[in-house]
Amino acid sequence: MPHHTQASNTMPVALITGAGSQTGIGMACARRLGATHRLLITSTSDRIHRRAQELNSRGIHTVSVTADLTDPRHATEMVANAIDLFGRLDVLVNNAGMAAVGETAESSPWQEPRTPNGTDPSLATWTQHSI
């Protein structure tokens, strides 16, 4: 369930994926865009809610959602959440990524083609485009 606070309905809305790390690119984008945008931030873990608390404590209107962009339902729900909560979606920062540590199997998902069928971290782009 999204966490949120109140903000002006006239401010544009940015959806930022991969914003779970306090020192990562996603949070840097959130801090920067937060001056002029309402934010929906997402990550695969519940730590995203701590990032939203940090941003909200700075006066940046932020909603957080845990989502796995390899699941097409999550990407669709994430975009729908932005529109339901804010009435619009103006900016999409596709920052979600994956990292492999150690050895990977010969037929790992890293070798599979990335398409808008749910295996691509940019699935939110396809979802937004289809709305």
Side-chain angles (χ1 to χ4, degrees), residues 37-91:
H37 291 69
R38 294 173 288 162
L39 305 178
L40 173 61
I41 60 173
T42 184
S43 175
T44 57
S45 72
D46 285 339
R47 69 183 178 166
I48 194 66
H49 305 306
R50 289 192 302 275
R51 300 296 86 81
Q53 288 173 344
E54 294 167 23
L55 293 166
N56 281 313
S57 73
R58 294 178 177 201
I60 298 172
H61 176 70
T62 306
V63 175
S64 55
V65 177
T66 303
D68 176 358
L69 294 185
T70 64
D71 182 334
R73 293 171 300 168
H74 284 209
T76 300
E77 289 170 7
M78 183 177 51
V79 171
N81 277 338
I83 294 168
D84 288 346
L85 291 167
F86 301 117
R88 62 195 286 177
L89 180 56
D90 302 290
V91 175

Side-chain angles (χ1 to χ4, degrees), residues 99-105:
V101 178
E103 296 189 29
T104 59

Side-chain angles (χ1 to χ4, degrees), residues 70 98 100 104-114 119:
T70 64
M98 300 174 356
T104 59
E106 215 172 279
S107 62
S108 79
W110 294 99
Q111 297 170 340
E112 296 173 11
R114 300 295 186 222
T119 59

